[in-house]
């Protein structure tokens, strides 16, 4: 797959670069460049990211960072079975538990929410950092919703992190998930309150909390560009409209005048 010349491979994380040092220099550079492309495209073009990740995987399948990248690319394309396999392999290689929440979410994607809940109660969760534990809570709440247990999902999300006024990287998503669960349970007033709190914490626009809040408030947004184009089209239509045909009485009057002449 083509890679722009400005992508050198030096853009990757230093820890990943260190893992690639086990490879021959030229091969390591090729793998690094494909990983950079996969990282760049994973949000806007998941299929493209998947393609680059597969190239990197073919070149260096024994590197844990490559298996992890391939897992995330598959996950972004909803290939949950494949993603879970890559994450499991990466975890075996490193012994780290960082991937535990996303592995549990893959189980949800496979239609196995019960397995995700089982993983949420496993000892590995206690080894996660705070961000990982919050992520695991989000996955567990999602699994409860998959099973139709809305009240349990709401309770699962209730935590010190949710109640805290400090804004952390996970705050917006946690508040958003809580608001969405409340809304699904028919608790619209509370849902509106928490969507508003999610908006306050969502500094980088990672959620559509502002749109959800506006929807609850009955606010409709009109695209100014579309409105101008519509008005312009109406004006052009008026200019191009043909002159009205003469009335039948006018035609008859002209015919009588011709006969008189």
């Amino acid at each position: 797959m083509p890679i722009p010349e400005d992508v050198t491979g030096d853009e990757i994380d230093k820890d990943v670069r260190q893992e690639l040092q086990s490879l021959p220099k030229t091969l390591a550079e090729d793998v690094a460049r494909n990983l950079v492309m996969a990282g760049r495209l994973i949000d806007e073009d998941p299929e493209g990211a998947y393609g680059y990740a597969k190239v990197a995987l073919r070149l260096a399948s024994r590197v844990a960072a490559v298996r992890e990248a391939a897992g995330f690319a598959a996950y972004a394309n909803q290939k949950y079975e494949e993603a879970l396999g890559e994450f499991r392999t990466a975890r075996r290689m490193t012994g780290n538990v960082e991937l535990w929440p996303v592995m549990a979410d893959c189980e949800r994607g496979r239609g196995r929410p019960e397995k995700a809940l089982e993983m949420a109660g496993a000892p590995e969760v206690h080894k996660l950092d705070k961000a990982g534990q919050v992520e695991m809570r989000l996955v567990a709440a999602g699994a409860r919703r998959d099973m139709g247990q809305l009240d349990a999902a709401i309770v699962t999300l209730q935590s010190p992190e949710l109640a805290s006024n400090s804004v952390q990287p996970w705050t917006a998503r946690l508040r958003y998930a809580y608001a969405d669960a409340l809304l699904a349970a028919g608790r619209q007033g509370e849902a509106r309150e928490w969507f508003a709190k999610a908006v306050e914490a969502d500094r980088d626009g990672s959620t559509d909390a502002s749109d959800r809040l506006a929807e609850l408030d009955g606010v409709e947004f009109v695209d100014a560009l579309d409105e101008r184009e519509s008005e312009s089209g109406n004006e052009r239509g008026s200019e191009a409209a043909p002159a009205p045909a003469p009335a039948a009485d006018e035609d008859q009057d002209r015919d009588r005048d011709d006969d008189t002449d």
Side-chain angles (χ1 to χ4, degrees):
M1 297 180 68
I3 298 178
E5 293 183 2
D6 66 315
V7 176
T8 64
D10 293 335
E11 302 89 343
I12 61 173
D13 183 83
K14 63 179 182 180
D15 292 335
V16 177
R17 188 182 305 116
Q18 186 173 357
E19 281 193 59
L20 295 179
Q21 287 179 355
S22 61
L23 303 174
K25 186 174 185 299
T26 302
L27 179 59
E29 291 175 353
D30 289 342
V31 173
R33 295 179 73 205
N34 277 282
L35 291 179
V36 170
M37 291 302 298
R40 283 188 179 184
L41 297 176
I42 197 163
D43 292 327
E44 298 179 0
D45 180 12
E47 289 187 10
Y50 180 74
Y52 284 106
K54 294 295 281 186
V55 172
L57 183 62
R58 187 172 66 249
L59 295 174
S61 62
R62 296 184 179 182
V63 177
V66 173
R67 303 304 291 252
E68 184 175 327
F72 277 110
Y75 179 81
N77 285 275
Q78 300 182 6
K79 300 177 183 291
Y80 299 115
E81 188 81 34
E82 181 179 341
L84 183 59
E86 297 297 346
F87 290 143
R88 283 173 172 167
T89 301
R91 182 169 177 269
R92 283 197 299 270
M93 289 177 168
T94 63
N96 294 335
V97 297
E98 297 173 357
L99 296 172
W100 196 254
V102 71
M103 289 170 63
D105 205 38
C106 284
E107 294 289 6
R108 284 186 61 210
R110 297 171 68 202
R112 301 176 63 189
E114 299 88 352
K115 180 62 177 178
L117 287 176
E118 180 184 326
M119 293 178 68
E124 284 82 354
V125 175
H126 300 294
K127 300 177 184 179
L128 296 169
D129 60 13
K130 181 62 69 177
Q133 290 179 3
V134 171
E135 194 66 34
M136 193 72 248
R137 189 176 293 275
L138 288 167
V139 173
R144 291 292 185 188
R145 291 190 62 173
D146 293 343
M147 299 166 67
Q149 302 173 2
L150 289 176
D151 290 340
I154 291 171
V155 172
T156 299
L157 293 169
Q158 292 171 345
S159 62
E161 293 80 20
L162 179 68
S164 175
N165 290 324
S166 67
V167 175
Q168 302 295 334
W170 59 77
T171 303
R173 291 179 59 238
L174 183 59
R175 292 177 179 178
Y176 182 96
Y178 189 59
D180 194 45
L182 288 168
L183 187 60
R187 296 160 63 175
Q188 185 167 327
E190 295 173 85
R192 191 207 174 281
E193 176 187 350
W194 282 97
F195 275 126
K197 290 182 178 181
V199 171
E200 293 175 0
D202 195 1
R203 296 168 179 172
D204 59 357
S206 61
T207 74
D208 65 346
S210 59
D211 293 339
R212 300 291 299 277
L213 182 61
E215 183 180 348
L216 285 175
D217 289 342
V219 177
E220 292 187 14
F221 295 100
V222 177
D223 192 315
L225 179 59
D226 289 344
E227 192 174 56
R228 286 197 298 271
E229 289 178 348
S230 177
E231 291 174 354
S232 176
N234 290 336
E235 291 173 0
R236 286 195 298 271
S238 299
E239 293 171 359
D249 290 344
E250 294 176 357
D251 290 342
Q252 293 173 1
D253 290 342
R254 280 199 295 272
D255 290 342
R256 284 196 295 270
D257 291 343
D258 292 340
D259 293 340
T260 302
D261 293 341

